[in-house]
Amino acid sequence: MTVALAGCSSSDGGDVTLKFVAADYDPEGGDSTQRHWDGVAEAFEAENKGIKVDVTIHDWKDVDREVAEMVEAGQAPDIAQIGAYADYAADGKLYSVDEMLSIPVQANMLAPLAEAGEVGRVQYGIPFVASTRLLFYNEKLFTQAGLEPPKTWDGIENAAKALKERGVKYPFALPLGNEEAQAETMMWMLSNGGGYTDSVGTYTIDSEQNVEAFSWLKDTLVGEGLTGPVAPAKLDRKPAFTAFANGEVGMLNGHPSLLQQAGKKGVEVGMVPLPGPKGKARSSMGVADWMMGFKQNGHAGQIGKFLDFAYSDENVLKFADEYDLLPVTVSASEAMSADPAHKNLWPFLDALPESTLYPVGKTSWAKVSESVKKQIGTAVGPDGDPTGTLTAIGREASALENAE
């Protein structure tokens, strides 16, 4: 019964204001994420007198750093919804999930995602939303150029050349800027049978497959002028998605929320798995963003009540609907799979069970991810050195891992 009631404890009673820091999901830079969480907080407060929720939203390229600085300054939020949790868990700063969530809410999490939230077989990270990634292409531009969806790297190159000849601004948009370079990097690694780690979890960032993938990007897509007017190292995901929605991009790697953004502008989207050198990649990339509760202020009971409320089907599906993302609970996933209104998301749902996630259970991952964001774009530049850059990142990753 102690575990069952952990998320509902009243031992730390009294009026409490929970500090909640979350990431911005609005692809157009609006305030829809702030409005969503303000609405959830207002509804929660109406049912839970004495608990207030103070919501702060940060851009994805800033939110992990903002939370890290708060923690370093001894001012940790009560709840954070960010990209990585393992380093905080290893430092003893987080509540375990069973200290916060009620058992029914815990049991409703999709098992592979819940397991990815574990450090030392104890779950600290709560999956928030998930997505898988596919290669998006502009159907109108492809039809006008007489192109078929690419099935190999050569197919990508040939399509990009044809689109360039027709004056398409970004034949293939390659966002390796700070915002989400770690994701674009992983997709290209997976496309060639590589990845950040091997089957036993050892970092393999400078593997032959990864070097080959980035050498191809440098020599072919970038070297032949097929990635548009903004250097990949300077191109963030958000402006790349905006350019796609404006009809200026022939191809890019996208996630579900881009469907809605493009649809609003009348851009018809085609989707295929990201090709490899000879055909379909062995795995697509899956992403789960993470919710966590910090111990510093001692509000396990109140945090648990808010998170139980936030993970109701109504709230989970509302957020997933808003941004065309995938829910992380069993009941909400089943509802989405059964609803024809979400038919455009079914390919992403189908890809999720077999997808590969970031190595988020590694306490070194947050710092390794930041290292990738800062350095990988230079690997494909005019003076880039894919082997040298990946070796440097890999050496740093191994040092961080060995220091843990």
Side-chain angles (χ1 to χ4, degrees), residues 74-155:
Q75 299 173 348
D78 295 286
I79 307 167
Q81 184 270 299
I82 52 178
Y85 63 87
D87 51 342
Y88 299 125
D91 288 343
K93 297 183 183 297
L94 300 182
Y95 289 114
S96 64
V97 171
D98 63 11
E99 291 178 295
M100 299 181 293
L101 297 186
S102 64
I103 286 178
V105 174
Q106 290 183 62
N108 197 30
M109 295 289 168
L110 290 168
L113 298 179
E115 290 167 6
E118 295 179 356
V119 173
R121 298 191 178 184
V122 176
Q123 187 184 353
Y124 296 94
I126 309 167
F128 173 57
V129 288
S131 68
T132 50
R133 306 297 171 91
L134 298 173
L135 176 65
F136 284 39
Y137 62 92
N138 183 310
E139 288 192 338
K140 180 180 179 180
L141 295 178
F142 265 61
T143 299
Q144 290 174 341
L147 297 170
E148 295 292 327
K151 297 180 179 179
T152 63
W153 282 358
D154 284 347

Side-chain angles (χ1 to χ4, degrees), residues 127-266:
F128 173 57
V129 288
S131 68
T132 50
R133 306 297 171 91
L134 298 173
L135 176 65
F136 284 39
Y137 62 92
N138 183 310
E139 288 192 338
K140 180 180 179 180
L141 295 178
F142 265 61
T143 299
Q144 290 174 341
L147 297 170
E148 295 292 327
K151 297 180 179 179
T152 63
W153 282 358
D154 284 347
I156 291 175
E157 177 187 3
N158 293 334
K161 285 180 177 177
L163 293 167
K164 182 181 179 181
E165 290 175 2
R166 296 182 65 85
V168 175
K169 187 174 182 179
Y170 294 89
F172 195 109
L174 185 66
L176 290 174
N178 285 350
E179 183 181 359
E180 206 191 31
Q182 82 285 2
E184 190 74 17
T185 296
M186 185 171 174
M187 284 182 272
W188 288 104
M189 288 176 169
L190 291 173
S191 76
N192 199 36
Y196 283 117
T197 61
D198 60 19
S199 59
V200 296
T202 302
Y203 281 118
T204 54
I205 291 170
D206 59 349
S207 69
E208 180 180 347
Q209 297 99 316
N210 295 342
V211 170
E212 184 178 55
F214 275 82
S215 296
W216 182 82
L217 289 173
K218 177 184 183 299
D219 296 338
T220 304
L221 287 191
V222 181
E224 296 180 8
L226 303 177
T227 54
V230 180
K234 301 293 185 182
L235 183 63
D236 282 338
R237 181 190 68 183
K238 190 173 290 185
F241 279 18
T242 297
F244 185 90
N246 289 335
E248 299 174 333
V249 175
M251 296 172 281
L252 54 61
N253 293 318
H255 61 59
S257 65
L258 181 54
L259 290 175
Q260 183 182 110
Q261 186 179 359
K264 289 179 180 178
K265 297 291 188 70

Side-chain angles (χ1 to χ4, degrees), residues 13 19 36 38 49 53 105 108 123 129-130 135 142 167 183 205 243-244 250 256 267 290 311 362 396 399 402:
K19 176 69 175 177
H36 170 83
D38 284 346
K49 303 301 182 184
V53 183
V105 174
N108 197 30
Q123 187 184 353
V129 288
L135 176 65
F142 265 61
I205 291 170
F244 185 90
V267 173
W290 301 97
Y311 279 91
K362 285 182 170 293
E396 182 179 350
N402 292 334

Side-chain angles (χ1 to χ4, degrees), residues 110 113 129-136 180 183 187 190 237 241 252-259 271-274 283-289 323-328 344-358:
L110 290 168
L113 298 179
V129 288
S131 68
T132 50
R133 306 297 171 91
L134 298 173
L135 176 65
F136 284 39
E180 206 191 31
M187 284 182 272
L190 291 173
R237 181 190 68 183
F241 279 18
L252 54 61
N253 293 318
H255 61 59
S257 65
L258 181 54
L259 290 175
M271 299 179 295
V272 293
L274 178 62
S283 174
S284 63
M285 190 187 81
V287 176
D289 300 328
Y323 301 108
D324 276 342
L325 292 168
L326 308 181
V328 297
N344 61 337
L345 293 180
W346 291 351
F348 297 95
L349 281 169
D350 291 342
L352 187 58
E354 304 300 325
S355 62
T356 300
L357 277 69
Y358 297 130

